[in-house]
Amino acid sequence: KPSRITAKTYMGKSGVLDIERESKMSGKIYDKGVLIISGYLGAKYAQRQPLSLAASLCFEQSYEGIDGDSASSTEIYALLSSLSRIPIKQGIAVTGSVNQNGQIQPIGGVNQKIEGFFDVCRTFGLTGKQGVMIPHQNVKNLMLRKEVVDAVVSGIFSIYAVRTIDEGIEILTGVTAGERDQTNTYAEGTVNYMVEQRLRQIAEGLRIFEKEGSEDQGDKGARGKKMP
Protein backbone atom coordinates (compact mmCIF):
# COMPACT_ATOMS: atom_id res chain seq x y z
CA LYS A 1 0.00 0.00 0.00
CA PRO A 2 1.32 3.49 -0.78
CA SER A 3 2.36 5.85 2.00
CA ARG A 4 2.72 9.62 1.92
CA ILE A 5 5.99 11.12 3.11
CA THR A 6 6.18 14.79 4.03
CA ALA A 7 9.24 16.96 4.65
CA LYS A 8 9.63 20.37 6.27
CA THR A 9 12.81 22.44 6.21
CA TYR A 10 13.55 25.53 8.28
CA MET A 11 16.31 27.59 9.86
CA GLY A 12 18.44 25.71 12.38
CA LYS A 13 21.40 23.39 12.88
CA SER A 14 19.73 20.24 14.17
CA GLY A 15 20.00 18.41 10.84
CA VAL A 16 17.43 15.90 9.60
CA LEU A 17 15.00 14.82 12.32
CA ASP A 18 12.97 11.74 11.47
CA ILE A 19 9.65 11.52 13.30
CA GLU A 20 9.43 7.74 12.91
CA ARG A 21 12.83 7.35 14.55
CA GLU A 22 12.14 9.84 17.33
CA SER A 23 8.82 8.16 18.16
CA LYS A 24 10.60 4.77 18.25
CA MET A 25 8.47 3.38 15.40
CA SER A 26 11.39 2.50 13.11
CA GLY A 27 13.94 -0.28 12.78
CA LYS A 28 17.74 -0.11 12.53
CA ILE A 29 17.90 -0.45 8.73
CA TYR A 30 15.44 2.42 8.30
CA ASP A 31 17.43 4.55 10.75
CA LYS A 32 20.61 3.86 8.79
CA GLY A 33 18.88 5.03 5.61
CA VAL A 34 17.95 8.33 7.26
CA LEU A 35 21.54 8.90 8.41
CA ILE A 36 22.76 8.29 4.85
CA ILE A 37 20.52 11.16 3.74
CA SER A 38 22.53 13.60 5.86
CA GLY A 39 25.75 12.29 4.30
CA TYR A 40 24.38 12.83 0.80
CA LEU A 41 23.18 16.37 1.49
CA GLY A 42 26.50 17.32 3.08
CA ALA A 43 28.58 15.93 0.22
CA LYS A 44 26.34 17.52 -2.42
CA TYR A 45 25.71 20.99 -1.02
CA ALA A 46 28.16 21.70 1.82
CA GLN A 47 31.58 21.73 0.19
CA ARG A 48 31.96 25.52 0.39
CA GLN A 49 29.72 26.31 3.35
CA PRO A 50 28.43 24.54 6.47
CA LEU A 51 25.26 22.47 6.11
CA SER A 52 23.05 24.68 8.26
CA LEU A 53 19.69 22.96 8.15
CA ALA A 54 16.85 21.80 10.32
CA ALA A 55 14.36 19.40 8.74
CA SER A 56 11.70 16.90 9.70
CA LEU A 57 10.52 13.80 7.84
CA CYS A 58 7.34 11.86 8.49
CA PHE A 59 5.33 8.93 7.17
CA GLU A 60 1.88 10.48 7.47
CA GLN A 61 -0.85 8.43 9.17
CA SER A 62 1.49 5.53 9.81
CA TYR A 63 0.52 3.76 13.02
CA GLU A 64 2.73 0.71 12.83
CA GLY A 65 6.47 0.08 12.89
CA ILE A 66 8.52 0.64 9.77
CA ASP A 67 11.87 -0.79 8.69
CA GLY A 68 14.01 -1.07 5.58
CA ASP A 69 15.65 1.63 3.47
CA SER A 70 13.41 1.49 0.39
CA ALA A 71 12.06 4.96 1.11
CA SER A 72 15.40 6.74 1.55
CA SER A 73 15.46 8.14 -1.99
CA THR A 74 11.84 9.29 -1.58
CA GLU A 75 12.77 11.18 1.56
CA ILE A 76 15.58 12.99 -0.28
CA TYR A 77 13.16 14.01 -3.04
CA ALA A 78 10.78 15.40 -0.42
CA LEU A 79 13.60 17.40 1.20
CA LEU A 80 14.78 18.76 -2.15
CA SER A 81 11.24 19.80 -3.00
CA SER A 82 10.88 21.61 0.31
CA LEU A 83 14.22 23.40 -0.05
CA SER A 84 13.80 24.37 -3.71
CA ARG A 85 10.06 25.06 -3.29
CA ILE A 86 9.39 23.10 -6.47
CA PRO A 87 6.34 20.82 -6.14
CA ILE A 88 6.57 17.10 -6.80
CA LYS A 89 4.14 15.29 -9.09
CA GLN A 90 1.87 13.35 -6.73
CA GLY A 91 0.84 10.78 -9.33
CA ILE A 92 4.26 9.09 -9.30
CA ALA A 93 5.06 6.64 -6.51
CA VAL A 94 8.73 6.13 -5.61
CA THR A 95 10.73 3.25 -4.22
CA GLY A 96 14.50 2.96 -3.99
CA SER A 97 17.35 2.89 -1.56
CA VAL A 98 20.18 5.42 -1.95
CA ASN A 99 23.84 5.65 -1.02
CA GLN A 100 25.86 8.69 0.04
CA ASN A 101 26.86 9.33 -3.58
CA GLY A 102 23.23 9.76 -4.61
CA GLN A 103 23.15 6.49 -6.54
CA ILE A 104 19.84 4.61 -6.43
CA GLN A 105 20.10 1.05 -5.09
CA PRO A 106 17.79 -1.95 -5.67
CA ILE A 107 14.93 -2.91 -3.35
CA GLY A 108 12.78 -5.96 -2.68
CA GLY A 109 9.16 -6.57 -3.63
CA VAL A 110 9.27 -4.41 -6.74
CA ASN A 111 6.39 -6.23 -8.47
CA GLN A 112 4.11 -6.04 -5.46
CA LYS A 113 4.86 -2.33 -5.02
CA ILE A 114 4.09 -1.49 -8.64
CA GLU A 115 0.93 -3.59 -8.73
CA GLY A 116 -0.25 -2.21 -5.38
CA PHE A 117 0.04 1.38 -6.56
CA PHE A 118 -1.54 0.49 -9.89
CA ASP A 119 -4.55 -0.99 -8.10
CA VAL A 120 -4.97 2.19 -6.04
CA CYS A 121 -4.73 4.38 -9.15
CA ARG A 122 -7.24 2.20 -11.01
CA THR A 123 -9.67 2.46 -8.10
CA PHE A 124 -9.52 6.26 -8.15
CA GLY A 125 -9.24 6.44 -11.94
CA LEU A 126 -6.25 6.18 -14.24
CA THR A 127 -5.31 9.57 -15.67
CA GLY A 128 -2.30 8.74 -17.83
CA LYS A 129 -0.04 10.75 -15.50
CA GLN A 130 0.45 8.04 -12.88
CA GLY A 131 3.34 5.63 -12.52
CA VAL A 132 6.07 4.20 -10.32
CA MET A 133 9.75 5.10 -10.14
CA ILE A 134 12.04 2.15 -9.42
CA PRO A 135 15.81 1.49 -9.27
CA HIS A 136 17.22 0.59 -12.68
CA GLN A 137 18.69 -2.63 -11.22
CA ASN A 138 15.17 -3.93 -10.54
CA VAL A 139 14.09 -3.87 -14.20
CA LYS A 140 15.29 -7.46 -14.61
CA ASN A 141 13.03 -8.51 -11.70
CA LEU A 142 9.80 -7.30 -13.30
CA MET A 143 7.10 -9.95 -13.70
CA LEU A 144 3.95 -7.83 -13.70
CA ARG A 145 0.33 -8.82 -14.24
CA LYS A 146 -0.86 -8.53 -17.81
CA GLU A 147 -3.26 -5.69 -17.01
CA VAL A 148 -0.37 -3.61 -15.66
CA VAL A 149 1.78 -4.36 -18.71
CA ASP A 150 -1.12 -3.47 -21.01
CA ALA A 151 -1.61 -0.17 -19.18
CA VAL A 152 2.08 0.68 -19.65
CA VAL A 153 2.00 -0.26 -23.33
CA SER A 154 -1.09 1.87 -23.90
CA GLY A 155 0.50 4.85 -22.12
CA ILE A 156 -1.97 5.23 -19.25
CA PHE A 157 0.54 4.07 -16.61
CA SER A 158 4.32 4.48 -16.52
CA ILE A 159 7.33 2.78 -14.97
CA TYR A 160 10.49 4.87 -14.64
CA ALA A 161 13.90 3.27 -14.01
CA VAL A 162 16.42 5.69 -12.49
CA ARG A 163 20.10 5.54 -11.56
CA THR A 164 20.63 8.70 -9.52
CA ILE A 165 18.81 11.23 -7.36
CA ASP A 166 19.33 13.84 -10.09
CA GLU A 167 17.54 11.64 -12.63
CA GLY A 168 14.68 11.06 -10.23
CA ILE A 169 14.13 14.68 -9.23
CA GLU A 170 13.91 15.69 -12.89
CA ILE A 171 11.11 13.15 -13.48
CA LEU A 172 9.26 14.18 -10.33
CA THR A 173 9.45 17.94 -10.88
CA GLY A 174 9.87 18.35 -14.63
CA VAL A 175 12.80 20.70 -13.88
CA THR A 176 16.44 20.07 -14.84
CA ALA A 177 18.51 18.90 -11.87
CA GLY A 178 21.65 20.73 -12.97
CA GLU A 179 25.37 19.93 -12.88
CA ARG A 180 28.25 22.04 -11.62
CA ASP A 181 30.09 23.97 -14.33
CA GLN A 182 33.75 25.00 -14.53
CA THR A 183 33.17 27.61 -11.83
CA ASN A 184 31.73 24.91 -9.53
CA THR A 185 28.25 26.45 -9.61
CA TYR A 186 24.87 25.22 -10.81
CA ALA A 187 22.98 26.93 -13.62
CA GLU A 188 20.21 29.25 -12.49
CA GLY A 189 16.74 27.76 -12.55
CA THR A 190 17.88 24.19 -11.91
CA VAL A 191 16.77 22.21 -8.86
CA ASN A 192 20.27 21.96 -7.43
CA TYR A 193 20.82 25.70 -7.87
CA MET A 194 17.65 26.54 -5.95
CA VAL A 195 18.47 24.02 -3.20
CA GLU A 196 21.98 25.41 -2.79
CA GLN A 197 20.70 28.99 -2.77
CA ARG A 198 18.17 28.17 -0.07
CA LEU A 199 20.81 26.47 2.07
CA ARG A 200 23.03 29.53 1.62
CA GLN A 201 20.17 31.79 2.73
CA ILE A 202 19.64 29.65 5.83
CA ALA A 203 23.35 29.72 6.69
CA GLU A 204 23.49 33.51 6.23
CA GLY A 205 20.31 33.98 8.25
CA LEU A 206 21.75 31.95 11.10
CA ARG A 207 25.00 33.93 10.98
CA ILE A 208 23.12 37.22 11.25
CA PHE A 209 20.83 35.90 13.99
CA GLU A 210 23.75 34.62 16.07
CA LYS A 211 25.69 37.86 15.57
CA GLU A 212 22.74 39.94 16.71
CA GLY A 213 22.25 37.62 19.67
CA SER A 214 25.87 37.98 20.78
CA GLU A 215 25.67 41.77 20.40
CA ASP A 216 22.53 41.85 22.55
CA GLN A 217 24.31 39.81 25.22
CA GLY A 218 27.23 42.22 25.07
CA ASP A 219 24.94 45.22 25.53
CA LYS A 220 23.25 43.61 28.50
CA GLY A 221 26.61 42.85 30.06
CA ALA A 222 27.74 46.45 29.59
CA ARG A 223 24.54 47.82 31.12
CA GLY A 224 24.92 45.51 34.09
CA LYS A 225 28.35 46.83 35.10
CA LYS A 226 28.52 49.38 37.91
CA MET A 227 30.59 52.50 37.44
CA PRO A 228 33.44 52.87 40.00
Side-chain angles (χ1 to χ4, degrees), residues 22-62:
E22 295 299 315
S23 59
K24 296 181 172 58
M25 293 179 66
S26 62
K28 293 181 179 180
I29 298 175
Y30 175 82
D31 293 343
K32 179 182 178 181
V34 173
L35 295 173
I36 287 173
I37 292 173
S38 297
Y40 169 76
L41 293 175
K44 184 86 170 179
Y45 304 108
Q47 295 300 311
R48 295 186 295 176
Q49 64 186 31
L51 184 64
S52 301
L53 171 70
S56 61
L57 290 166
C58 182
F59 273 75
E60 299 294 349
Q61 289 193 297
S62 173

Side-chain angles (χ1 to χ4, degrees), residues 101-164:
N101 295 318
Q103 298 167 331
I104 305 301
Q105 302 175 138
I107 46 82
V110 65
N111 293 291
Q112 292 86 344
K113 291 174 181 177
I114 293 173
E115 291 174 350
F117 188 65
F118 175 82
D119 290 340
V120 171
C121 292
R122 184 177 55 180
T123 299
F124 284 92
L126 290 167
T127 64
K129 297 181 180 180
Q130 298 143 330
V132 180
M133 186 185 299
I134 66 171
H136 72 97
Q137 301 97 322
N138 285 117
V139 170
K140 64 178 180 288
N141 305 125
L142 295 180
M143 296 180 64
L144 299 166
R145 300 195 312 254
K146 186 177 184 303
E147 57 187 328
V148 181
V149 175
D150 291 343
V152 172
V153 172
S154 62
I156 60 174
F157 193 78
S158 301
I159 298 175
Y160 306 91
V162 298
R163 297 175 180 271
T164 65

Side-chain angles (χ1 to χ4, degrees), residues 144-197:
L144 299 166
R145 300 195 312 254
K146 186 177 184 303
E147 57 187 328
V148 181
V149 175
D150 291 343
V152 172
V153 172
S154 62
I156 60 174
F157 193 78
S158 301
I159 298 175
Y160 306 91
V162 298
R163 297 175 180 271
T164 65
I165 289 293
D166 281 351
E167 284 185 19
I169 199 65
E170 288 186 353
I171 292 171
L172 290 171
T173 63
V175 179
T176 302
E179 296 182 1
R180 294 191 184 278
D181 59 21
Q182 294 179 346
T183 63
N184 202 31
T185 57
Y186 293 109
E188 289 190 32
T190 62
V191 177
N192 287 325
Y193 174 83
M194 286 183 271
V195 169
E196 192 168 67
Q197 288 297 109

Side-chain angles (χ1 to χ4, degrees), residues 57-74:
L57 290 166
C58 182
F59 273 75
E60 299 294 349
Q61 289 193 297
S62 173
Y63 307 115
E64 55 191 15
I66 183 172
D67 202 2
D69 58 359
S70 296
S72 55
S73 64
T74 316

